[in-house]
Amino acid sequence: MTTTTALILLAVGLAIVAGLAAYAFTLWQEVKRRSAFREEELRRAHENCLSNLEIVASSLLQEQVDITEGAWRCKLLLDILDPDLIERPGFQAIGEVYARTQHLHTHSARKQLAPRDRMREDRERLEVEAEWRQPVLEAAEEILRFRRSWPDGLH
Protein backbone atom coordinates (compact mmCIF):
# COMPACT_ATOMS: atom_id res chain seq x y z
CA MET A 1 0.00 0.00 0.00
CA THR A 2 1.34 3.39 -0.88
CA THR A 3 1.61 6.31 1.47
CA THR A 4 -1.02 8.21 -0.49
CA THR A 5 -3.50 5.34 -0.21
CA ALA A 6 -2.82 5.04 3.52
CA LEU A 7 -3.36 8.78 4.02
CA ILE A 8 -6.59 8.69 2.02
CA LEU A 9 -7.85 5.73 4.09
CA LEU A 10 -6.79 7.53 7.29
CA ALA A 11 -8.64 10.68 6.20
CA VAL A 12 -11.76 8.65 5.28
CA GLY A 13 -11.56 6.82 8.62
CA LEU A 14 -11.19 10.08 10.55
CA ALA A 15 -14.11 11.59 8.62
CA ILE A 16 -16.26 8.56 9.47
CA VAL A 17 -15.26 8.71 13.15
CA ALA A 18 -15.92 12.48 13.24
CA GLY A 19 -19.32 11.95 11.61
CA LEU A 20 -20.22 9.22 14.07
CA ALA A 21 -19.03 11.38 16.97
CA ALA A 22 -21.18 14.27 15.74
CA TYR A 23 -24.17 11.92 15.41
CA ALA A 24 -23.57 10.52 18.90
CA PHE A 25 -23.36 14.05 20.30
CA THR A 26 -26.67 14.93 18.58
CA LEU A 27 -28.32 11.83 20.05
CA TRP A 28 -26.93 12.63 23.50
CA GLN A 29 -28.36 16.18 23.27
CA GLU A 30 -31.73 14.75 22.26
CA VAL A 31 -31.71 12.37 25.23
CA LYS A 32 -30.95 15.31 27.55
CA ARG A 33 -33.74 17.37 25.99
CA ARG A 34 -36.27 14.56 26.34
CA SER A 35 -35.20 13.85 29.89
CA ALA A 36 -35.64 17.51 30.84
CA PHE A 37 -39.04 17.53 29.13
CA ARG A 38 -40.11 14.38 31.01
CA GLU A 39 -38.97 15.85 34.34
CA GLU A 40 -40.88 19.06 33.65
CA GLU A 41 -44.00 17.06 32.73
CA LEU A 42 -43.71 15.05 35.94
CA ARG A 43 -43.22 18.21 38.00
CA ARG A 44 -46.30 19.80 36.42
CA ALA A 45 -48.33 16.61 36.93
CA HIS A 46 -47.37 16.51 40.61
CA GLU A 47 -48.18 20.19 41.01
CA ASN A 48 -51.53 19.63 39.31
CA CYS A 49 -52.29 16.68 41.60
CA LEU A 50 -51.33 18.73 44.66
CA SER A 51 -53.60 21.58 43.54
CA ASN A 52 -56.49 19.18 42.93
CA LEU A 53 -55.85 17.53 46.28
CA GLU A 54 -56.03 20.93 47.94
CA ILE A 55 -59.32 21.69 46.19
CA VAL A 56 -60.87 18.35 47.21
CA ALA A 57 -59.67 18.69 50.82
CA SER A 58 -61.08 22.23 51.01
CA SER A 59 -64.34 21.00 49.51
CA LEU A 60 -64.53 18.29 52.16
CA LEU A 61 -64.00 20.80 54.96
CA GLN A 62 -66.62 23.15 53.49
CA GLU A 63 -69.03 20.20 53.12
CA GLN A 64 -69.31 20.76 49.36
CA VAL A 65 -68.62 17.08 48.74
CA ASP A 66 -69.72 14.08 50.78
CA ILE A 67 -67.22 12.13 52.88
CA THR A 68 -67.10 9.07 50.63
CA GLU A 69 -66.61 10.97 47.39
CA GLY A 70 -64.01 13.26 48.93
CA ALA A 71 -62.13 10.33 50.44
CA TRP A 72 -62.12 8.49 47.10
CA ARG A 73 -60.83 11.53 45.21
CA CYS A 74 -58.15 12.22 47.83
CA LYS A 75 -57.08 8.57 47.81
CA LEU A 76 -56.69 8.51 44.03
CA LEU A 77 -54.72 11.77 43.98
CA LEU A 78 -52.47 10.62 46.82
CA ASP A 79 -51.86 7.37 44.93
CA ILE A 80 -50.82 9.33 41.84
CA LEU A 81 -48.37 11.39 43.88
CA ASP A 82 -46.98 8.46 45.84
CA PRO A 83 -48.87 5.26 46.77
CA ASP A 84 -47.13 5.23 50.17
CA LEU A 85 -48.67 8.56 51.19
CA ILE A 86 -51.94 6.88 52.17
CA GLU A 87 -50.01 5.02 54.87
CA ARG A 88 -49.14 8.27 56.67
CA PRO A 89 -50.97 8.39 60.00
CA GLY A 90 -52.71 11.64 59.06
CA PHE A 91 -54.11 10.19 55.82
CA GLN A 92 -55.13 6.69 56.94
CA ALA A 93 -58.78 7.60 57.50
CA ILE A 94 -59.05 8.36 53.79
CA GLY A 95 -57.66 4.95 52.93
CA GLU A 96 -60.01 3.31 55.40
CA VAL A 97 -63.13 4.95 53.95
CA TYR A 98 -61.96 4.00 50.47
CA ALA A 99 -61.35 0.39 51.53
CA ARG A 100 -64.77 0.13 53.18
CA THR A 101 -66.68 1.66 50.28
CA GLN A 102 -64.80 0.67 47.14
CA HIS A 103 -67.22 -2.20 46.47
CA LEU A 104 -70.20 0.17 46.27
CA HIS A 105 -71.60 0.88 42.82
CA THR A 106 -71.29 4.32 41.27
CA HIS A 107 -72.66 6.20 38.27
CA SER A 108 -74.44 4.04 35.69
CA ALA A 109 -73.81 0.80 37.62
CA ARG A 110 -75.62 2.33 40.60
CA LYS A 111 -78.57 3.32 38.39
CA GLN A 112 -78.90 -0.29 37.24
CA LEU A 113 -79.29 -1.57 40.82
CA ALA A 114 -82.70 -2.52 42.09
CA PRO A 115 -84.14 0.12 44.44
CA ARG A 116 -83.71 -2.20 47.43
CA ASP A 117 -80.02 -2.74 46.62
CA ARG A 118 -79.48 0.97 46.08
CA MET A 119 -81.01 1.68 49.50
CA ARG A 120 -78.84 -1.00 51.10
CA GLU A 121 -75.71 0.54 49.56
CA ASP A 122 -76.82 4.04 50.61
CA ARG A 123 -77.34 2.85 54.16
CA GLU A 124 -73.91 1.20 54.18
CA ARG A 125 -72.27 4.35 52.77
CA LEU A 126 -74.02 6.58 55.32
CA GLU A 127 -72.91 4.31 58.18
CA VAL A 128 -69.29 4.52 57.04
CA GLU A 129 -69.58 8.28 56.62
CA ALA A 130 -71.07 8.70 60.09
CA GLU A 131 -68.31 6.62 61.65
CA TRP A 132 -65.43 8.17 59.70
CA ARG A 133 -66.65 11.75 59.18
CA GLN A 134 -64.44 13.38 61.80
CA PRO A 135 -61.27 11.37 60.99
CA VAL A 136 -61.70 12.17 57.27
CA LEU A 137 -62.15 15.87 58.01
CA GLU A 138 -59.00 15.76 60.14
CA ALA A 139 -57.23 14.03 57.24
CA ALA A 140 -58.44 16.82 54.93
CA GLU A 141 -56.88 19.36 57.29
CA GLU A 142 -53.68 17.29 57.28
CA ILE A 143 -53.73 17.33 53.47
CA LEU A 144 -53.90 21.11 53.51
CA ARG A 145 -50.92 21.24 55.91
CA PHE A 146 -49.10 18.75 53.68
CA ARG A 147 -49.81 20.89 50.63
CA ARG A 148 -48.58 24.08 52.31
CA SER A 149 -45.37 22.39 53.42
CA TRP A 150 -44.45 21.57 49.80
CA PRO A 151 -45.44 24.63 47.79
CA ASP A 152 -43.34 23.54 44.81
CA GLY A 153 -44.49 19.95 44.77
CA LEU A 154 -42.88 16.91 46.32
CA HIS A 155 -39.29 17.87 45.61
Side-chain angles (χ1 to χ4, degrees):
M1 178 175 346
T2 65
T3 304
T4 306
T5 307
L7 287 175
I8 291 173
L9 289 176
L10 178 64
V12 169
L14 288 174
I16 290 172
V17 168
L20 290 174
Y23 182 63
F25 180 75
T26 303
L27 290 177
W28 179 64
Q29 291 292 86
E30 180 64 16
V31 167
K32 280 179 47 177
R33 186 190 67 77
R34 287 184 184 189
S35 178
F37 177 78
R38 188 175 33 237
E39 286 178 18
E40 176 61 18
E41 284 291 307
L42 184 59
R43 187 199 62 75
R44 285 191 304 159
H46 276 167
E47 186 60 36
N48 200 12
C49 277
L50 285 167
S51 294
N52 288 333
L53 192 57
E54 183 176 17
I55 290 167
V56 174
S58 295
S59 297
L60 266 168
L61 292 170
Q62 296 170 16
E63 298 183 14
Q64 295 173 338
V65 64
D66 67 37
I67 297 298
T68 302
E69 182 179 352
W72 278 35
R73 290 175 186 252
C74 287
K75 161 83 166 77
L76 295 175
L77 290 166
L78 288 168
D79 280 349
I80 290 169
L81 291 170
D82 180 355
D84 294 332
L85 283 174
I86 202 69
E87 299 301 321
R88 290 180 116 179
F91 300 157
Q92 287 177 346
I94 289 169
E96 187 63 31
V97 169
Y98 180 83
R100 289 184 179 206
T101 59
Q102 70 182 12
H103 65 280
L104 299 177
H105 295 83
T106 61
H107 308 302
S108 60
R110 176 179 160 69
K111 290 177 184 175
Q112 293 176 357
L113 289 175
R116 178 177 293 170
D117 293 332
R118 224 179 0 253
M119 284 184 61
R120 181 186 50 77
E121 285 196 358
D122 285 347
R123 196 170 34 255
E124 185 177 348
R125 179 181 52 79
L126 291 172
E127 287 172 6
V128 170
E129 287 183 2
E131 179 182 353
W132 287 92
R133 182 180 191 286
Q134 193 56 42
V136 167
L137 293 177
E138 290 169 7
E141 290 172 351
E142 181 65 24
I143 285 172
L144 294 178
R145 283 190 293 276
F146 170 78
R147 175 61 177 109
R148 283 190 296 269
S149 68
W150 278 282
D152 295 325
L154 292 174
H155 307 286

